[in-house]
Amino acid sequence: MFEITTNHYLVLSAMLFVIGLVGILTRRNMIVVLMSIELVLNSVNLNLAAFSYQYSDLTGQIMGVFVIAVAAGEAAIGLAILVGLYRLRGTTSLDHASELKG
Amino acid sequence: MEFLLVNGPGLLFYLFAALAVLSAILVVSLRNPMYSAFALLVSFLAVAALFFLLHAEFLAVVQIFVYGGGIMVLFLFVIMLVNLHRIQEAEIYGMQWPAALLLAVMLIGLVSWVVARVQFSPANLAPATLVSVDGEVVGNVQAVAWQLFQQYLLPFEIASLFLLVAMIGAVVLARKD
């Protein structure tokens, strides 16, 4: 009755991905945008693990470890940029970082 | 009791999937970034539980360590550093939010439509290759380590170099000049 297939995991992963994408596209606060990027990367990991289980292949899990490493580096760099933005503007709102706007 | 034993994994999947999705929605919708950070922590832990269900024990523990520990501390530290009380946001969403929401609904509809049309053969219940090295059952951590240090040694070393570059970059970007 409650049988779980790979399709369930794919739909869940798509939902997490889209929620993160909405956060990236709509939020003004850069801290929350960075958190949404983490959500997106996490949903990718879920997908990799689901396919690793489906095909009984460890490669997916190893790619997941690499994705986690990249996410950690991305968070560190992003938060460092955030601190720089805060020093420059006194706010973390992305609306105040518009120098490159045409 | 019988019902729980038979349907345990399925019920756990729905429990943790609902937890992950709800807390992810809270991350995006809460006004205070501190509350968003805690909702993000709940989402990470729920996904870690799903990794356990998927026989990815090493990935689950790394997820709890790196996401729930490292990245979360980094976020909370920066939130405390930037003194959010001085920042008053009248509107937490940018003006493009209707277009973004429409696009998101269309994307999830498309993905669900495609996934509903794909049939996977049922995954084997005790995936031997996920826990064994050369046919001998040793556990998921040793199996991942074996693959990582044999077949994927070069990407592993490149990842360590990447982390070094990221660390130096973060220090250079965040220092006072």
Side-chain angles (χ1 to χ4, degrees), chain A residues 2-76:
Chain A
F2 290 112
E3 201 183 343
I4 303 303
T5 60
T6 304
N7 298 41
H8 288 76
Y9 282 98
L10 294 186
V11 171
L12 170 65
S13 166
M15 284 165 79
L16 288 175
F17 184 92
V18 166
I19 293 167
L21 195 64
V22 169
I24 295 170
L25 289 174
T26 59
R27 286 298 296 249
R28 290 176 184 227
N29 194 334
M30 188 175 165
I31 298 176
V32 183
V33 171
L34 286 172
M35 288 182 198
S36 304
I37 295 175
E38 300 300 328
L39 273 180
V40 168
L41 288 168
N42 213 4
S43 80
V44 171
N45 259 351
L46 192 60
N47 231 335
L48 286 170
F51 276 116
S52 162
Y53 186 71
Q54 168 69 35
Y55 293 115
S56 292
D57 190 342
L58 271 176
T59 310
Q61 296 183 17
I62 287 164
M63 288 301 139
V65 173
F66 288 136
V67 169
I68 287 180
V70 170
E74 175 265 330

Side-chain angles (χ1 to χ4, degrees), chain B residues 3 11-12 27-28 36 39 51 56 71 78 88 90 101 104 112 125 136 138 145 153 157:
Chain B
F3 175 79
L11 290 173
L12 284 176
V27 170
V28 176
S36 288
F51 285 156
I71 292 178
V78 169
Q88 295 295 330
L101 207 62
S112 305
L125 283 174
E136 189 189 349
V138 287
L153 186 61
E157 297 295 337

Side-chain angles (χ1 to χ4, degrees), chain B residues 140-156:
Chain B
N140 180 251
V141 176
Q142 284 183 44
V144 168
W146 195 259
Q147 287 259 313
L148 200 57
F149 289 112
Q150 298 263 323
Q151 201 176 347
Y152 298 99
L153 186 61
L154 184 64
F156 183 75

Side-chain angles (χ1 to χ4, degrees), chain B residues 33-111:
Chain B
M34 192 63 111
Y35 297 156
S36 288
F38 284 116
L40 189 67
L41 179 61
V42 174
S43 183
F44 285 160
L45 293 180
V47 173
L50 290 173
F51 285 156
F52 277 115
L53 286 179
L54 281 171
H55 235 295
E57 288 91 0
F58 179 70
L59 202 55
V61 173
V62 166
Q63 161 107 351
I64 294 172
F65 278 3
V66 176
Y67 274 115
I71 292 178
M72 195 47 59
V73 166
L74 211 59
F75 270 113
L76 293 179
F77 185 71
V78 169
I79 289 172
M80 289 176 200
L81 202 67
V82 296
N83 187 15
L84 290 164
H85 293 296
R86 285 200 325 166
I87 302 165
Q88 295 295 330
E89 277 185 305
E91 192 59 57
I92 59 171
Y93 298 111
M95 62 183 173
Q96 73 274 27
W97 72 266
L101 207 62
L102 182 71
L103 218 65
V105 170
M106 280 163 63
L107 182 61
I108 198 163
L110 181 69
V111 172

